[in-house]
Amino acid sequence: MRLPPLPTVSEIVHLYQLTARKQLAQNFLLDMNLTRKVVRKAGSLDGGFVCEVGPGPGGITRAILNTAAKRVVVVEKDGRFIPGLQMLADASEDRMKIVHGDILQFKMEQIIPETYRVPWEDKPPNVHIIGNLPFNISTPLIVQWLEDIANQSGAWSFGRTRLTLTFQKEVAERMVAPVSSDMRCRLSVMCQYLCDVSLKFGIPGKAFTPAPKVDVGVVQFVPLMKPRINLPFKMVEKVCRHVFHYRQKMIKHSIATLFPVDMPELTAEMFERSDLDPSSRPPQLKLRDFSKLCSAYNDICCQHAFIFDFDYRSRKHAKLLRRGRNTLIEKLEEKSLVDLPETESSDVEVPVR
């Protein structure tokens, strides 16, 4: 399926006087050889549904429409790009729809046809999410989507939907960083415990308009049939965040931040339950080590319900703790009771009971 002759993307940019907005971290990819390569790395789109995030002037959009994709929906926040995208939609023979909105607030499950739904245990559905993401939303967006993957919600209520996305090269390398790598971080564990993650190729910054000071990496995520850590996302995310808080120090210092300072016995219990060496460094931990830490923390939270809501950085919690441990416990237990849902939910922010 080929598009009819149209103005080039560069001509569209000139025609509508489109300039990249620094506050939106916009960088246009106008080289059609590179946009086609991004789309090829997503796999076969024949007969598939594609959601493109942040199409901008439509470089990657054109490459998608030149495949045999059956339906393409683009989500664009900046209204300046809508006229140029509408030109593509008009030429696409009703295969393309434009959504003017913020992808961070967008409910993708509302636009995916029911015919694409498959069981989670089957092969990934013929649904693809592709995008040249603005740097300023790329990390919060992928964390939001990882939570949806963990809960099998949103676009992942249709099965193990694949993502092919661009990130700042350093962020991309962190996502795929192996154990003991200098790049290993919280994001490495969060991505790898839920997905097979691969860095497909790099794009030099000079290929973009305007050229960013950093290079870009194209990363693909394929959700796993079974997560490598079988606990709620919020539980795993909190443990990982704390472990890498002092990434160059021994993990005993990081783990201690999960608990009030006057409860060191719980830190000792974490290591007793997980059977890990307190002198280990965060980048040295394997996914099964994180699984042990998360399980140990979950068990402790089940015994002491208030612990999960404790935040060592909170001034309010520090003030309550100075009044005495019981005062802190009472306030946190009150919060836990208020937040406790009446019915079970896949995204409950409470420990597994």
Side-chain angles (χ1 to χ4, degrees), residues 138-148 186-187 233 237:
S138 60
T139 299
L141 182 59
I142 195 61
V143 171
Q144 178 178 309
W145 280 345
L146 287 171
E147 184 168 7
D148 285 342
R186 173 184 69 101
L187 197 56
F233 181 87
E237 194 277 333

Side-chain angles (χ1 to χ4, degrees), residues 261-298:
V261 292
D262 65 342
M263 301 180 76
E265 69 277 8
L266 295 183
T267 301
E269 185 176 344
M270 276 278 285
F271 289 110
E272 184 178 347
R273 287 178 177 272
S274 63
D275 194 30
L276 294 179
D277 183 357
S279 65
S280 301
R281 311 281 173 167
Q284 298 173 337
L285 299 180
K286 301 177 181 179
L287 284 175
R288 64 170 175 266
D289 297 327
F290 278 98
S291 181
K292 291 177 181 179
L293 285 173
C294 292
S295 295
Y297 183 63
N298 181 76

Side-chain angles (χ1 to χ4, degrees), residues 59-124:
I60 291 178
T61 313
R62 289 183 185 227
I64 296 171
L65 290 172
N66 279 321
T67 70
K70 184 176 182 179
R71 186 66 172 158
V72 179
V73 176
V74 299
V75 183
E76 177 56 61
K77 181 179 180 180
D78 192 337
R80 297 177 304 145
F81 297 116
I82 301 301
L85 293 171
Q86 189 61 54
M87 187 181 297
L88 290 176
D90 293 340
S92 70
E93 299 180 352
D94 295 325
R95 288 194 296 144
M96 176 178 162
K97 177 183 178 182
I98 303 168
V99 176
H100 184 195
D102 186 347
I103 190 62
L104 289 168
Q105 309 298 328
F106 186 62
K107 303 295 183 183
M108 203 175 296
E109 66 273 19
Q110 297 176 358
I111 61 170
I112 304 176
E114 187 64 29
T115 53
Y116 288 98
R117 189 185 299 274
V118 300
W120 187 263
E121 295 75 20
D122 285 5
K123 292 181 180 179

